[in-house]
Amino acid sequence: MTTPARAALHPAKIHPAAIVEDGAQIGMNVEIGPFCHVGPKVRLGDNVRLMSHVVVQGSTTIGEGTVVFPNAVLGCAPQNIHYHGEDTELVIGRSCTIREGVTMHTGMPDAGGKTTVGDNSLFLAYSHVAHDCHVGSNVILSNNVLLAGHVSVGDRVIMGGGAAVHQFVRIGHHAFIGGLAAVSNDVIPYGMLNGNPGVLMGLNIIGMQRSGFEKPAIHAVRRAFKTIFDSQSPIRENIARVREQTDKNEAIADIIAFIDAESDRALSSPARGQRG
């Protein structure tokens, strides 16, 4: 955030038709377009751009270089009947692109009180990030993607248009969620899920290749995937077999750690109704 002396050298460009309430902290080179409304507890980092008709309310922080397109609404109260006006937060990282009509809400006081979004993420038109979600970096939410409350989305996840995620679901890093998918259960790192109800269709091989995985490592993860989700044995027994058989492979370790972690939801699998 800027000091008064720095602001004099690099003033923000605030349109006369915008409303910036007293108390808002505005960084250097910020642009606030016509008919935007910035609340008194908002903090805008350097080089943030609010195009027009953007509403930023609550205790909301927007990181350096993030661009917000018209009609986005950020930091308003959670859509939760148990919210009674407590001071909770929305924190958005650096260099994000937030397209038209996107909504993101602050957290609930009984769940940590904070909704977070990482760096370099892209939120396409009318996607929604509900209270207490934690979205990683380099994530893409396509048009009309809906995240219910308390959803966790790992780094480099891509979600197709119209996908909807049940509350408390975890989506592991590098996962791919197909368009219109109904995500009711956790999705492993590198997983690829499609359908309604959502079915784990395999691994996001393209995503792994883009992230620099070499063929031997990808083949090892494929073998581990087949073993873990072998329907002839319980998943816990299958994981024990993978631990015994596999060499050190960071991706396999991440998948196993994800499955081992406590969760409020079951585990998405290649067979509908199969639970972890």
Side-chain angles (χ1 to χ4, degrees):
M1 299 306 165
T2 188
T3 64
R6 292 171 71 199
L9 295 173
H10 302 277
K13 298 177 182 178
I14 302 175
H15 193 279
I19 296 174
V20 179
E21 297 191 44
D22 291 343
Q25 299 179 35
I26 309 299
M28 297 189 300
N29 298 315
V30 168
E31 295 184 26
I32 300 176
F35 307 107
C36 292
H37 186 177
V38 178
K41 298 180 181 178
V42 171
R43 296 173 293 278
L44 303 181
D46 295 346
N47 302 305
V48 165
R49 183 183 178 198
L50 310 182
M51 287 190 174
S52 71
H53 298 83
V54 174
V55 176
V56 188
Q57 291 292 315
S59 295
T60 296
T61 300
I62 301 180
E64 179 180 352
T66 287
V67 178
V68 186
F69 280 67
N71 299 307
V73 179
L74 308 174
C76 283
Q79 296 178 139
N80 188 310
I81 61 173
H82 301 294
Y83 179 74
H84 301 296
E86 297 89 347
D87 188 15
T88 55
E89 293 183 77
L90 167 66
V91 178
I92 300 169
R94 298 182 175 189
S95 301
C96 291
T97 300
I98 299 172
R99 294 300 304 252
E100 299 85 348
V102 168
T103 50
M104 299 181 183
H105 293 159
T106 59
M108 286 290 293
D110 60 351
K114 183 181 289 188
T115 303
T116 62
V117 171
D119 301 332
N120 303 303
S121 290
L122 171 61
F123 299 86
L124 297 187
Y126 301 103
S127 53
H128 173 64
V129 179
H131 61 87
D132 304 291
C133 286
H134 299 290
V135 179
S137 296
N138 300 291
V139 170
I140 299 175
L141 267 57
S142 299
N143 296 63
N144 299 294
V145 168
L146 306 175
L147 304 184
H150 310 278
V151 167
S152 174
V153 179
D155 294 344
R156 297 191 180 278
V157 168
I158 297 176
M159 302 188 66
V165 186
H166 192 284
Q167 61 185 5
F168 293 103
V169 159
R170 300 176 301 142
I171 299 176
H173 61 81
H174 290 82
F176 179 88
I177 308 299
L180 301 176
V183 189
S184 298
N185 295 317
D186 293 345
V187 181
I188 61 170
Y190 309 100
M192 182 170 63
L193 183 136
N194 284 292
N196 183 357
V199 177
L200 193 62
M201 307 298 291
L203 294 170
N204 181 17
I205 301 300
I206 293 176
M208 296 177 75
Q209 292 171 339
R210 289 174 176 171
S211 295
F213 280 80
E214 297 181 354
K215 285 185 178 181
I218 292 175
H219 290 324
V221 178
R222 275 178 160 166
R223 289 193 296 270
F225 178 90
K226 290 179 180 179
T227 301
I228 290 170
F229 292 103
D230 180 357
S231 61
Q232 302 303 310
S233 305
I235 286 179
R236 298 300 171 185
E237 293 183 11
N238 294 341
I239 289 175
R241 288 165 51 200
V242 170
R243 284 195 175 103
E244 293 173 356
Q245 296 172 3
T246 189
D247 294 328
K248 290 183 179 179
N249 182 300
E250 184 176 346
I252 296 173
D254 285 349
I255 292 170
I256 292 174
F258 182 91
I259 296 172
D260 284 343
E262 292 186 7
S263 178
D264 293 293
R265 305 299 299 171
L267 186 68
S268 296
S269 76
R272 286 181 181 152
Q274 180 176 330
R275 301 174 69 87

